[in-house]
Amino acid sequence: MSITYLLPLFLSLITISSVSANFQRDVEITWGDGRGQIKNNGELLTLSLDKSSGSGFQSKNEYLFGKIAMQMKLVPGNSAGTVTTLYLKSPGTTWDEIDFEFLGNSSGDPYTLHTNVYTQGKGDKEQQFKLWFDPTADFHTYTIIWNPQRIIFTVDGTPIREFKNMESLGTLFPKNKPMRMYSSLWNADDWATRGGLVKTDWSKAPFTASYRGFKQEACVWSNGKSSCPNASKQGTTGSWLSQELDSTAQQRMRWVQRNYMIYNYCTDAKRFPQGLPKECLAA
């Protein structure tokens, strides 16, 4: 019996599940020269950006499939030109990657939430959304669910995108390369806001994004082995490892896409003059 979106998300074979987030234990700040800071005994992490540099961190664990969730409060006020990210990525020149990118905007205008999936270094599978709340006023939970059958992006538990494994159609799907979780805050005012027309106002610096509640329910990859040895087999049952969207979740996702999606590569015929990608035609 398939496990639907609303069922409990825990399985005994998953050997890591962070009951209480602790950034000191679970991540390391990798760049920013002090602009990234872990506070409150590991319960809070902040990244900052000024004209000299941004900052970033990564998970200590690598994963080959998992449910990765983070509570984030984005840069408030005039965030034009800034990009805050939360993503999974493997190393190398033919990398796999699953992206949340939050593109800042002028005061009073909504953030753009950019999603993408890369396999073997090939992406071009963008969907973009405007959020239905102010992501700077409080913390909100952003989750990537990655299993052998699909990738689900959720915001506060509401699914906004599903990318299915359609290898049978020739569509690449990330399933062989372990990935770490990364997050960063950096300047991209050459493209991030209105295609680069609106630049970063450095008089507002430093810009700060805040993080808490990092949860990792995942197949951890270590020393060439997965903590879930049978995870790659189709039909593996239990929690996020076989999670799909039931009819209620599908309705919620369609509501988001109908009201808040602002770009979908699957409807951009001008971008694909020789025909839309096969996974778009099968959706």
Side-chain angles (χ1 to χ4, degrees), residues 111-144:
Y111 267 78
T112 296
L113 172 52
H114 176 98
T115 66
N116 205 350
V117 176
Y118 290 79
T119 310
Q120 300 177 23
K122 299 177 181 179
D124 298 332
K125 302 185 185 305
E126 303 93 340
Q127 289 184 358
Q128 294 184 340
F129 305 83
K130 296 295 186 184
L131 294 172
W132 53 95
F133 54 84
D134 180 359
T136 74
D138 203 349
F139 286 90
H140 294 269
T141 302
Y142 305 92
T143 305
I144 295 170

Side-chain angles (χ1 to χ4, degrees), residues 158-179:
T158 295
I160 65 170
R161 178 179 186 180
E162 179 183 29
F163 184 80
K164 293 182 179 180
N165 183 339
M166 295 190 180
E167 291 177 303
S168 61
L169 300 178
T171 300
L172 297 174
F173 185 86
K175 68 174 189 179
N176 297 316
K177 297 181 180 181
M179 297 193 260

Side-chain angles (χ1 to χ4, degrees), residues 183-194:
S183 187
S184 58
L185 172 58
W186 52 289
N187 178 52
D189 66 2
D190 57 333
W191 64 270
T193 305
R194 295 181 59 194

Side-chain angles (χ1 to χ4, degrees), residues 23 44-45 47 57 70-72 84 139 183 209-212:
F23 286 113
L44 179 70
L45 188 151
L47 295 180
F57 66 94
M70 184 77 74
Q71 296 179 32
M72 301 170 61
T84 310
F139 286 90
S183 187
S210 301
Y211 301 77
R212 71 183 187 191

Side-chain angles (χ1 to χ4, degrees), residues 50-180:
D50 57 35
K51 200 167 186 177
S52 297
S53 178
S55 49
F57 66 94
Q58 68 182 44
S59 64
K60 292 182 180 178
N61 286 319
E62 285 187 291
Y63 319 103
L64 188 59
F65 306 121
K67 178 185 177 185
I68 305 300
M70 184 77 74
Q71 296 179 32
M72 301 170 61
K73 183 163 66 172
L74 302 181
V75 174
N78 185 357
S79 59
T82 70
V83 177
T84 310
T85 66
L86 177 69
Y87 61 101
L88 300 175
K89 187 179 181 181
S90 66
T93 56
T94 56
W95 73 97
D96 293 350
E97 185 173 341
I98 305 169
D99 285 344
F100 275 124
E101 292 185 337
F102 304 87
L103 312 183
N105 218 330
S106 302
S107 297
D109 292 335
Y111 267 78
T112 296
L113 172 52
H114 176 98
T115 66
N116 205 350
V117 176
Y118 290 79
T119 310
Q120 300 177 23
K122 299 177 181 179
D124 298 332
K125 302 185 185 305
E126 303 93 340
Q127 289 184 358
Q128 294 184 340
F129 305 83
K130 296 295 186 184
L131 294 172
W132 53 95
F133 54 84
D134 180 359
T136 74
D138 203 349
F139 286 90
H140 294 269
T141 302
Y142 305 92
T143 305
I144 295 170
I145 300 165
W146 170 38
N147 65 40
Q149 295 82 36
R150 57 187 45 81
I151 297 164
I152 302 170
F153 298 78
T154 77
V155 176
D156 288 337
T158 295
I160 65 170
R161 178 179 186 180
E162 179 183 29
F163 184 80
K164 293 182 179 180
N165 183 339
M166 295 190 180
E167 291 177 303
S168 61
L169 300 178
T171 300
L172 297 174
F173 185 86
K175 68 174 189 179
N176 297 316
K177 297 181 180 181
M179 297 193 260
R180 293 187 191 273

Side-chain angles (χ1 to χ4, degrees), residues 125 166 169 171 264-269 272 274-283:
K125 302 185 185 305
M166 295 190 180
L169 300 178
T171 300
N264 182 2
Y265 79 105
C266 278
T267 60
D268 193 348
F272 303 101
Q274 296 181 347
L276 292 173
K278 291 181 180 179
E279 70 270 15
C280 299
L281 302 176

